[in-house]
Amino acid sequence: MSMNLCLYVAADTFTETRAKGTHVVVIDVLRASSTIVQAYESGVERIIPVAGVEEATRLLPTLDREKALLCGEQEGIKVDGFDLGNSPLEYVGTAVRGKTLVFSTTNGTTAMVKAAASDEIAVGCFLNLKAVVAHLISSGAERVSILCAGTNGLLSLEDFLCAGLMVNGLVEAYHNQLGLNDAAVAARLLAASMTDIFEVVSRSSHGQYLSNLGFKDDLEFCSRLDLYSSVPTVVDGRIQGRTQSSHR
Amino acid sequence: MSMNLCLYVAADTFTETRAKGTHVVVIDVLRASSTIVQAYESGVERIIPVAGVEEATRLLPTLDREKALLCGEQEGIKVDGFDLGNSPLEYVGTAVRGKTLVFSTTNGTTAMVKAAASDEIAVGCFLNLKAVVAHLISSGAERVSILCAGTNGLLSLEDFLCAGLMVNGLVEAYHNQLGLNDAAVAARLLAASMTDIFEVVSRSSHGQYLSNLGFKDDLEFCSRLDLYSSVPTVVDGRIQGRTQSSHR
């Protein structure tokens, strides 16, 4: 059993060539990955991640408007005319249960779209960290890419730490049968020296930005480790909800 | 006294907009920065960093061929027909003293060319780390970009560690008057947990690649901390040698 793991600190450098033949984990702790994991747990029918507001608006008429919600943010704030923003705390209960979410964010969902040529796209964050590691191990994937969404092409501290903890989990399972690129080694070394996730998330540039917008509760929520054990995956551009899957 | 510091883990994300109004330090530990610092110390007349072999070859006829050397690498190896490669250990004594070096490398010199729109470009590595920190402090620069050359758009462990040590040095001087982006915070946290530079450099992906090419001595040399106290700077696309400068 061996695995070759490449970590990308931001989505910009992730090309179709790099995507091909790999299993991808997209990490956008603040907040797309956390929100998608929360929505999935809340029993949505499906989630369609898109790369921008235009694409979201274009898709809407093709969907059952009774069940479809336009979701997402621009610069951290709910898009004008959209039903929901990008706070995981909105994605609970009947507001989303059984719904189809068309989900557009600046970095996270864009990264998911960029990874389309890969073999699988899993959505990861602190909320389902251990589950993602277990999922990768049980998949038997030999080539894995951890794709941090980052912020506008730059490294985000919270995504990088989350990635480092995932790398740590994989090192425990694979020992020296795990090949790591430099970014993965760096993230792992960083993660090894960190103890307080919430402290790091709060200190991150986007964490501070969201705090100033009044989303401090989101930071706390998104910092919770292993709250859930599900791993949403994007198949053919869609994340099929659990309920839906069991009826297929 | 305050400073805003942005670290870029690879040159690809560094745009002209990001360069403008900042003092830039380009770090390419393996090996462009280390080689340039060594050449500078060896008394070259000037160094012209260029972004590729074609540009280097194009420049050559405009220079005094008696004094000009074509220098650089592709995939770690000296370019066919060039006078020198990219090993700092070649850049000593009469081989380079008083010469003009046209210097082309895949990542490092390309990063220097990318930073052309900035206020100043300093060349940094472990060899002159403390000097770079002192240079930035005495410059009074309020906006500084540390530009890790990286490898083909991806983070390089050795550059990231070197950057982290520079950030540490600046934090000591500026305390909480130093604004850091997330990459700078991450590099600093990583650097704080590292003690053996050579060990990290040897472990890096490009370090291993160079070792396999037979350049193990280069890794050892490039890992030496504060061997030199000079900071070469690129002005109008050229690094003027020390001797030359004193005669201007």
Side-chain angles (χ1 to χ4, degrees):
Chain A
M1 186 170 90
S2 71
M3 182 186 283
N4 202 297
L5 175 65
C6 282
L7 171 61
Y8 300 87
V9 303
D12 286 37
T13 48
F14 199 66
T15 56
E16 197 175 309
T17 312
R18 283 173 170 159
K20 276 187 179 159
T22 76
H23 285 229
V24 176
V25 179
V26 173
I27 299 177
D28 185 2
V29 168
L30 296 176
R31 298 169 285 175
S33 292
S34 304
T35 299
I36 286 173
V37 167
Q38 175 55 48
Y40 186 88
E41 288 288 336
S42 297
V44 293
E45 185 172 294
R46 55 183 174 150
I47 303 170
I48 308 174
V50 295
V53 171
E54 269 177 40
E55 172 68 3
T57 319
R58 200 185 59 71
L59 258 184
L60 195 63
T62 71
L63 302 168
D64 174 1
R65 195 61 182 102
E66 283 291 296
K67 277 171 65 179
L69 298 175
L70 275 179
C71 311
E73 53 77 29
Q74 277 182 320
E75 298 183 356
I77 300 163
K78 192 180 90 169
V79 181
D80 244 9
F82 272 32
D83 300 300
L84 294 169
N86 189 21
S87 166
L89 304 176
E90 299 175 78
Y91 290 76
V92 290
T94 51
V96 293
R97 192 172 305 133
K99 303 282 189 185
T100 290
L101 313 183
V102 180
F103 197 52
S104 166
T105 68
T106 316
N107 300 294
T109 57
T110 304
M112 291 165 203
V113 171
K114 279 205 86 166
S118 63
D119 289 350
E120 185 191 81
I121 306 165
V123 179
C125 54
F126 291 115
L127 296 175
N128 69 346
L129 196 145
K130 198 186 273 186
V132 167
V133 172
H135 175 81
L136 289 173
I137 295 169
S138 70
S139 75
E142 290 180 359
R143 288 184 56 212
V144 169
S145 303
I146 297 185
L147 180 52
C148 295
T151 306
N152 305 326
L154 302 182
L155 180 152
S156 286
L157 191 58
E158 69 282 8
D159 294 343
F160 196 57
L161 172 63
C162 184
L165 289 171
M166 284 182 193
V167 176
N168 260 341
L170 291 166
V171 168
E172 278 172 31
Y174 287 84
H175 304 287
N176 57 5
Q177 295 305 303
L178 183 68
L180 301 176
N181 73 346
D182 277 11
V185 173
R188 189 193 169 204
L189 291 169
L190 177 79
S193 70
M194 297 289 100
T195 48
D196 189 338
I197 293 172
F198 177 62
E199 196 268 326
V200 175
V201 170
S202 306
R203 188 174 173 179
S204 73
S205 157
H206 197 55
Q208 287 175 22
Y209 178 77
L210 290 174
S211 271
N212 291 336
L213 286 179
F215 289 117
K216 203 165 177 190
D217 288 350
D218 281 11
L219 306 198
E220 204 155 348
F221 183 77
C222 295
S223 302
R224 293 180 69 179
L225 192 62
D226 300 325
L227 183 63
Y228 296 128
S229 57
S230 60
V231 181
T233 56
V234 187
V235 178
D236 296 333
R238 274 117 183 84
I239 296 165
Q240 215 58 41
R242 221 175 346 210
T243 326
Q244 189 67 8
S245 308
S246 65
H247 288 293
R248 273 192 299 189
Chain B
M1 186 171 89
S2 72
M3 183 188 282
N4 202 297
L5 176 65
C6 282
L7 170 60
Y8 300 87
V9 303
D12 285 37
T13 47
F14 199 66
T15 57
E16 197 174 310
T17 312
R18 284 174 169 158
K20 276 188 179 161
T22 75
H23 285 229
V24 176
V25 179
V26 173
I27 299 177
D28 185 3
V29 168
L30 296 178
R31 296 168 289 176
S33 292
S34 304
T35 299
I36 286 174
V37 167
Q38 175 56 48
Y40 187 88
E41 288 287 336
S42 296
V44 294
E45 185 172 293
R46 55 182 173 150
I47 303 168
I48 308 174
V50 297
V53 172
E54 270 179 37
E55 172 69 2
T57 320
R58 200 184 59 73
L59 258 182
L60 194 63
T62 72
L63 302 167
D64 173 1
R65 196 60 182 99
E66 284 291 296
K67 279 171 64 180
L69 298 174
L70 275 179
C71 311
E73 53 77 28
Q74 276 182 322
E75 298 183 357
I77 301 163
K78 192 180 88 169
V79 181
D80 244 8
F82 272 32
D83 301 299
L84 294 170
N86 189 22
S87 166
L89 303 176
E90 297 176 79
Y91 290 76
V92 290
T94 52
V96 294
R97 191 172 306 133
K99 302 282 189 185
T100 291
L101 314 182
V102 181
F103 196 52
S104 167
T105 67
T106 316
N107 299 293
T109 57
T110 304
M112 290 166 204
V113 171
K114 279 205 86 167
S118 63
D119 290 350
E120 186 191 80
I121 306 166
V123 179
C125 53
F126 291 115
L127 297 175
N128 69 346
L129 196 145
K130 199 187 272 188
V132 167
V133 171
H135 175 81
L136 290 173
I137 294 169
S138 70
S139 76
E142 291 180 358
R143 289 184 55 212
V144 169
S145 303
I146 296 184
L147 181 52
C148 294
T151 306
N152 304 326
L154 301 182
L155 182 152
S156 286
L157 191 58
E158 69 284 7
D159 294 342
F160 196 57
L161 172 63
C162 184
L165 289 171
M166 284 183 193
V167 176
N168 260 341
L170 291 167
V171 168
E172 277 172 29
Y174 287 85
H175 304 285
N176 57 6
Q177 297 303 303
L178 183 68
L180 301 176
N181 73 345
D182 277 11
V185 173
R188 190 193 167 205
L189 292 169
L190 176 79
S193 70
M194 296 291 100
T195 49
D196 188 338
I197 293 172
F198 176 62
E199 195 269 324
V200 175
V201 169
S202 305
R203 187 174 174 178
S204 73
S205 155
H206 198 55
Q208 287 175 22
Y209 178 77
L210 290 174
S211 270
N212 291 337
L213 286 180
F215 289 116
K216 202 165 177 191
D217 289 349
D218 281 11
L219 306 197
E220 203 156 347
F221 183 77
C222 296
S223 302
R224 293 181 69 179
L225 192 62
D226 300 325
L227 183 64
Y228 296 128
S229 57
S230 60
V231 180
T233 57
V234 186
V235 178
D236 296 333
R238 273 118 183 84
I239 296 166
Q240 213 60 40
R242 220 174 349 209
T243 327
Q244 188 66 10
S245 308
S246 66
H247 288 293
R248 274 193 300 189

